[in-house]
Amino acid sequence: MIQAQDYYAAKAMLDWQIELGATEAIGETPVNRYEAPAPVRPRPVAAEAPPEVAAEPQVDAVAVARAAADAAPDLESLRAAIEAFDLCDLKRGARSTVFADGRAQARVMVIGEAPGRDEDQQGKPFVGRAGQLLDKMFAAIGMGRDAPDPGAAIYITNVLPWRPPQNRDPKPEEVAMMLPFVERHVALVNPDVLVLMGNHSCMALLGRKGITRLRGNWVQALDRPTLPMFHPAYLLRNPVAKREAWHDLLMLQDRLRKPA
Ligand code: URA
């Protein structure tokens, strides 16, 4: 039984607490009201699933190039096929597509590396300083790109039809994707012999470099006799190597004099 005194004492205590601001009955767990309020967290939004992006189909640039090159029935179609080929990034930075120069009936087809600044500007292979030296070299054995006689004419192209930025070395994947066009180019011109100027052309067509060893030796490439030579740009930097280049030109002349 509650004593009247207990009742009044308890009520006085409750009144006192209400006066202090207590408005709720004490809960089961203590509340520390001095504690900093918990930060209001944004309600987690259900993470949206990323939109379904269709995986880009992988394009086989070499296969596309091969199909385009093989479909070209003549040199003009091949030029158009190269101009329409969009998978090589070099094209975007180049001013011109440098296809070829000289006589397509020539017995000798010269394959260089890639256009430089002058070639990019003029749209023709080997027209800068290296090209002028190349012309002098062939003129020394009575040959040239304008010679009316196919026996004295040369036809000139490059492994890459677009100038690499800052004339950097061609990348293997650039060479690989343009090689089908070079192969078709050679098949359409059908020269008696190929001359490969420098390491990059040798790497592209022979799968080998080391021009110092390769030069001056006949090898086979694309089913025809092929002579690797020092690149004329190398000869401009190393004039003493012109002696070897002269030797190689005489080898070429000798070969052309022999019956095919
Ligand atoms: N060097 C090359 O290999 N080709 C050119 O057309 C010009 C410079």
Side-chain angles (χ1 to χ4, degrees):
M1 194 172 150
I2 301 173
Q3 300 283 313
Q5 210 188 345
D6 295 344
Y7 169 83
Y8 289 113
K11 180 153 186 326
M13 191 174 283
L14 274 174
D15 289 342
W16 182 69
Q17 286 189 353
I18 288 166
E19 202 145 298
L20 287 179
T23 52
E24 290 178 56
I26 292 168
E28 293 271 311
T29 46
V31 177
N32 182 356
R33 296 201 184 272
Y34 294 100
E35 208 174 58
V40 181
R41 290 182 201 281
R43 267 196 326 155
V45 180
E48 256 180 51
E52 290 260 322
V53 181
E56 284 230 346
Q58 286 289 309
V59 178
D60 181 345
V62 177
V64 173
R66 167 117 14 240
D70 289 353
D74 53 38
L75 290 174
E76 268 324 297
S77 319
L78 184 68
R79 179 201 287 268
I82 294 173
E83 282 170 348
F85 183 72
D86 275 337
L87 299 176
C88 182
D89 283 345
L90 292 178
K91 184 181 181 182
R92 277 174 263 292
R95 193 179 287 203
S96 337
T97 298
V98 178
F99 182 64
D101 195 26
R103 286 185 36 94
Q105 299 76 12
R107 291 185 66 197
V108 176
M109 181 165 179
V110 177
I111 304 183
E113 170 189 332
R117 196 192 51 191
D118 297 310
E119 290 77 18
D120 185 44
Q121 275 170 359
Q122 296 184 40
K124 278 187 186 184
F126 282 103
V127 291
R129 281 185 69 223
Q132 286 157 22
L133 177 56
L134 179 138
D135 284 339
K136 282 189 196 154
M137 287 161 63
F138 281 95
I141 54 166
M143 301 186 79
R145 52 181 112 189
D146 296 324
D149 168 15
I154 59 172
Y155 181 83
I156 307 173
T157 191
N158 283 307
V159 172
L160 297 178
W162 296 295
R163 180 192 184 196
Q166 275 83 48
N167 295 347
R168 65 151 168 76
D169 285 349
K171 294 183 186 167
E173 60 270 25
E174 292 162 349
V175 172
M177 77 174 81
M178 298 316 291
L179 194 57
F181 292 108
V182 179
E183 290 173 357
R184 185 75 185 139
H185 209 155
V186 172
L188 289 170
V189 173
N190 194 21
D192 289 345
V193 301
L194 293 174
V195 173
L196 302 182
M197 288 298 184
N199 257 327
H200 292 288
S201 323
C202 289
M203 194 60 208
L205 286 145
L206 306 175
R208 286 194 275 162
K209 56 184 185 180
I211 191 65
T212 311
R213 290 226 185 135
L214 287 169
R215 61 141 286 275
N217 294 291
W218 286 101
V219 289
Q220 282 288 113
L222 305 181
D223 293 329
R224 61 202 79 220
T226 298
L227 184 62
M229 285 185 62
F230 281 137
H231 194 288
Y234 174 82
L235 297 175
L236 287 172
R237 295 190 303 270
N238 300 277
V240 287
K242 285 184 183 168
R243 220 162 63 114
E244 280 94 345
W246 177 238
H247 168 269
D248 300 347
L249 286 166
L250 293 178
M251 275 180 74
L252 173 66
Q253 188 180 47
D254 195 39
R255 178 90 188 206
L256 293 171
R257 282 185 180 149
K258 287 189 188 140

